[in-house]
Amino acid sequence: MKRERQPQSNPFLWYIDNLQEKFSKITFLDPKLLLTENRHDILLRVDFLTEVIINKQDSSKTKYFKFIIDKDKGISRDPTNVTSDFLNLYYDIKQNNIVSPILVGKYDSSKIPTRYIFENQKFWFDIENKSGYQLMDGAHRLSVALFLEISSIPVKIINSLAFEIPNYTQYIKKKEK
């Protein structure tokens, strides 16, 4: 599956990352290793599943829906389509497990620069690199795995050259103020 290129990334480096992904073997990781301090959006997704699947809440009343609808973060998507697709993915994974591996970046440094976009400005924020991994593609699949308490998920691990690590945790903190 070809990933959508980030608008700020270098096209040549993005091409190399895609080649790495294509030729990387599938391995398995504990999904909890990918729940890093910069990705609070994953917890919003897990909470969304709890609210909608277990508590039968209307998806448009969730924090995740509000997160999607917010255009400040530099990504604009239709929240109704996103939440509907997410629920369909949940049911598919529940029945068939994760079929398409999640893309993961491997980082060796003790600190990792992450970025968030707020009001069309990019802000950088260093985080501690506790697991050595960063989620690059597959936030919804990861969230479903965490919700279903799956202990091992298929991943492809690359040493990314083009990926700017998002920091939705800092973005959410800023928005909550």
Side-chain angles (χ1 to χ4, degrees):
M1 174 168 65
K2 189 173 186 216
R3 292 176 295 128
E4 185 178 308
R5 188 174 72 79
Q6 298 172 328
Q8 72 280 359
S9 65
N10 178 309
F12 178 71
L13 296 178
W14 192 259
Y15 176 75
I16 292 172
D17 279 0
N18 283 327
L19 282 176
Q20 283 188 70
E21 177 183 4
K22 184 177 181 175
F23 293 106
S24 292
K25 64 180 178 131
I26 296 172
T27 186
F28 290 84
L29 282 178
D30 180 341
K32 292 175 188 161
L33 289 173
L34 301 176
L35 191 56
T36 53
E37 70 181 77
N38 58 305
R39 294 302 304 260
H40 186 72
D41 61 305
I42 302 299
L43 296 177
L44 282 181
R45 288 173 170 91
V46 173
D47 289 346
F48 169 84
L49 292 171
T50 301
E51 292 164 356
V52 174
I53 303 289
I54 295 174
N55 300 335
K56 308 293 184 206
Q57 185 174 341
D58 182 333
S59 64
S60 67
K61 306 282 187 231
T62 64
K63 283 185 179 181
Y64 179 58
F65 191 91
K66 291 174 183 146
F67 175 74
I68 299 166
I69 212 165
D70 184 4
K71 294 179 180 165
D72 258 355
K73 64 187 172 306
I75 299 172
S76 181
R77 295 193 173 120
D78 179 273
T80 303
N81 289 343
V82 170
T83 54
S84 175
D85 290 349
F86 186 24
L87 289 170
N88 288 335
L89 177 68
Y90 161 76
Y91 290 113
D92 183 58
I93 290 173
K94 185 176 180 185
Q95 183 175 347
N96 303 309
N97 295 316
I98 295 175
V99 177
S100 180
I102 291 171
L103 185 61
V104 174
K106 177 74 174 130
Y107 297 88
D108 295 325
S109 58
S110 63
K111 296 274 185 189
I112 303 175
T114 63
R115 61 105 181 112
Y116 65 97
I117 298 169
F118 186 78
E119 296 176 349
N120 294 320
Q121 288 189 304
K122 194 182 293 187
F123 298 90
W124 290 92
F125 189 87
D126 284 346
I127 62 163
E128 187 178 347
N129 183 11
K130 294 178 183 173
S131 71
Y133 300 110
Q134 280 292 316
L135 174 68
M136 293 178 62
D137 186 51
H140 288 98
R141 286 170 283 163
L142 174 61
S143 301
V144 171
L146 291 165
F147 179 75
L148 292 174
E149 299 179 350
I150 298 171
S151 61
S152 183
I153 57 172
V155 297
K156 285 191 169 190
I157 301 171
I158 69 168
N159 292 312
S160 177
L161 301 174
F163 186 68
E164 289 185 0
I165 301 168
N167 192 324
Y168 291 119
T169 302
Q170 292 302 317
Y171 175 81
I172 291 167
K173 284 180 183 177
K174 193 157 197 134
K175 288 303 281 191
E176 285 178 346
K177 287 181 183 177

